[in-house]
Amino acid sequence: MEFYFTDRKFNLLGIVETSSEAPIAFANEEDRESINDAARMLTGSVYFPPQQSDKIKRMAALGNFVLFQDENGKSVFMTIMDMEHDPKAGSRLIVAEDAGMDLINGLVGPYQADKALTFEEYFKLFAGGSGFEIGINEIANLSRTLKWESDSQTVLGRMLSVATQFDNSEIDFSFTITGTQVVKRYLNVYKKRGANNRITLYVGRDIDNIITKGNIYDLCTAIEATGGDIDGVPVNLKGYDYTDPTGRFKLDKKTGIMEDTESVKIWSRLLSSVNDAPSTGHITRLKSYETTNKKTLVDNVIRELERASQPSINYETDIVKLPKNVKIGDTVYLADEDGQLFLS
């Protein structure tokens, strides 16, 4: 695999290969992606002979770019954000990110929209002039009236916040690269990333092991929520009319507390052998959100209750063999037939 290093004007400074036989080699590389923070990070070490130390300093300088194609053939463009140079060991550790300095180092302050704006309009407000433009936009028809009180937030953090408040949408970045020139930089927004190709991985063949971990530290069956301030007063759900079409969630208009009528039967403080399906005795938590829109606040609370009204269960798996066509956001199925554990 080849990695192209350029200066900030996209002049090619060097090509580094992962081959151990290369005079200058790139090793211990990790290409990490995350949906939650829209991050893609490359870490790795450039190994070089002593006489090449100065060249590597210039080639892999902070702020320079790394270009490569990933295993799925996608063009990737990253900015070197961190480094550690060890001339005695003949190594230079680099950390590069694909949002680059424009969105990571740029900061924005408080903002309150006076009307409902689209995702693209928020993008122009906070990321206009960053060099990025909107690419894929699966929520172009949606608009929201949003507010932020934070004195300082990165542009990337603000765009993640915008996406979250547009029905938990997800963002990523893509690039059009010609030679070593990045000619287009895109921020893409999706309703949900990934596909379901019914790929199943089996313990003993594709997976070495699945470890199950769980706790109930954050479990609750009701939430009293507040949103952002309007005229100095936090928005709440007192007096708001809401009827859950499924019948599971009930909003107490007097208190503004959203209750889960199903989970309380299991986790109520009043549960006993003589009261085996209680409707009261909720475990209530306070949660705060940034939105000043009550419908959005209700949506956020219900999503949180769906998650928090049951034990937090996490699975750690050591995957030995992962099909190359699996991409971030895709659904895969894990099967431990001996342990009768089947996950997606």
Side-chain angles (χ1 to χ4, degrees):
M1 192 169 180
E2 295 181 334
F3 294 83
Y4 294 76
F5 287 75
T6 79
D7 62 19
R8 295 191 56 77
K9 297 179 180 178
F10 298 105
N11 296 307
L12 182 62
L13 301 178
I15 302 173
V16 179
E17 300 180 19
T18 52
S19 170
S20 59
E21 298 177 359
I24 298 176
F26 197 54
N28 305 318
E29 70 278 4
E30 289 188 354
D31 181 13
R32 303 179 186 178
E33 291 185 80
S34 168
I35 284 181
N36 291 339
D37 54 14
R40 184 165 190 168
M41 178 183 292
L42 173 70
T43 61
S45 295
V46 179
Y47 290 95
F48 54 87
Q51 63 272 22
Q52 296 286 351
S53 180
D54 188 58
K55 175 184 176 180
I56 300 305
K57 284 182 183 179
R58 288 182 278 109
M59 183 186 79
L62 292 172
N64 279 3
F65 302 135
V66 184
L67 290 77
F68 64 96
Q69 276 198 337
D70 66 15
E71 292 183 347
N72 294 310
K74 181 179 179 180
S75 295
V76 183
F77 155 64
M78 293 191 172
T79 303
I80 298 175
M81 304 294 291
D82 196 359
M83 69 82 189
E84 181 179 302
H85 191 85
D86 186 341
K88 184 176 180 180
S91 68
R92 186 180 182 91
L93 172 67
I94 66 165
V95 178
E97 298 196 35
D98 68 350
M101 294 192 299
D102 298 313
L103 300 186
I104 296 173
N105 288 19
L107 299 177
V108 292
Y111 179 80
Q112 180 173 353
D114 57 6
K115 63 178 181 179
L117 301 178
T118 65
F119 182 90
E120 186 166 5
E121 287 173 320
Y122 284 113
F123 172 83
K124 289 177 179 178
L125 277 170
F126 303 126
S130 65
F132 285 85
E133 58 187 271
I134 293 289
I136 297 168
N137 185 356
E138 294 183 352
I139 58 170
N141 61 319
L142 302 181
S143 61
R144 298 284 187 271
T145 304
L146 304 179
K147 177 182 178 181
W148 293 268
E149 297 177 337
S150 172
D151 290 333
S152 181
Q153 187 176 28
T154 68
V155 176
L156 176 59
R158 180 62 53 86
M159 293 314 303
L160 284 165
S161 176
V162 174
T164 298
Q165 296 181 76
F166 274 75
D167 301 339
N168 266 358
S169 297
E170 301 169 357
I171 65 175
D172 77 351
F173 304 95
S174 61
F175 309 92
T176 299
I177 299 176
T178 302
T180 60
Q181 298 288 318
V182 177
V183 295
K184 291 285 185 179
R185 312 179 193 194
Y186 300 105
L187 183 150
N188 306 301
V189 55
Y190 310 88
K191 293 179 180 177
K192 182 175 176 57
R193 294 171 63 184
N196 186 347
N197 297 314
R198 309 301 302 182
I199 293 172
T200 302
L201 309 178
Y202 293 91
V203 170
R205 188 187 75 184
D206 313 292
I207 303 170
D208 182 58
N209 193 17
I210 300 176
I211 298 174
T212 304
K213 297 182 178 181
N215 68 76
I216 57 172
Y217 289 117
D218 294 324
L219 188 142
C220 66
T221 64
I223 290 178
E224 182 178 354
T226 57
D229 290 356
I230 295 181
D231 298 329
V233 179
V235 170
N236 59 52
L237 296 177
K238 292 179 181 179
Y240 185 69
D241 284 314
Y242 174 75
T243 301
D244 178 24
T246 70
R248 174 179 170 182
F249 300 102
K250 177 185 176 183
L251 179 62
D252 186 325
K253 291 176 62 176
K254 184 177 180 180
T255 63
I257 296 175
M258 185 72 75
E259 301 173 347
D260 184 341
T261 62
E262 294 297 325
S263 65
V264 70
K265 297 174 184 178
I266 302 171
W267 298 102
S268 169
R269 296 186 178 93
L270 304 180
L271 181 68
S272 69
S273 58
V274 295
N275 188 9
D276 59 0
S279 60
T280 57
H282 283 275
I283 302 171
T284 305
R285 289 211 162 189
L286 302 177
K287 300 289 286 189
S288 60
Y289 302 88
E290 295 177 335
T291 182
T292 57
N293 182 284
K294 292 197 175 187
K295 180 184 181 304
T296 303
L297 187 59
V298 165
D299 293 341
N300 289 340
V301 169
I302 288 178
R303 278 195 295 268
E304 179 66 16
L305 268 179
E306 288 174 339
R307 181 197 67 80
S309 60
Q310 53 190 325
S312 173
I313 304 295
N314 294 288
Y315 304 93
E316 293 182 1
T317 180
D318 183 6
I319 297 176
V320 177
K321 181 182 177 183
L322 183 69
K324 287 190 175 182
N325 61 335
V326 173
K327 299 177 182 179
I328 188 168
D330 285 357
T331 298
V332 296
Y333 298 85
L334 311 181
D336 180 359
E337 294 178 318
D338 291 340
Q340 286 297 291
L341 179 63
F342 302 95
L343 309 172
S344 65

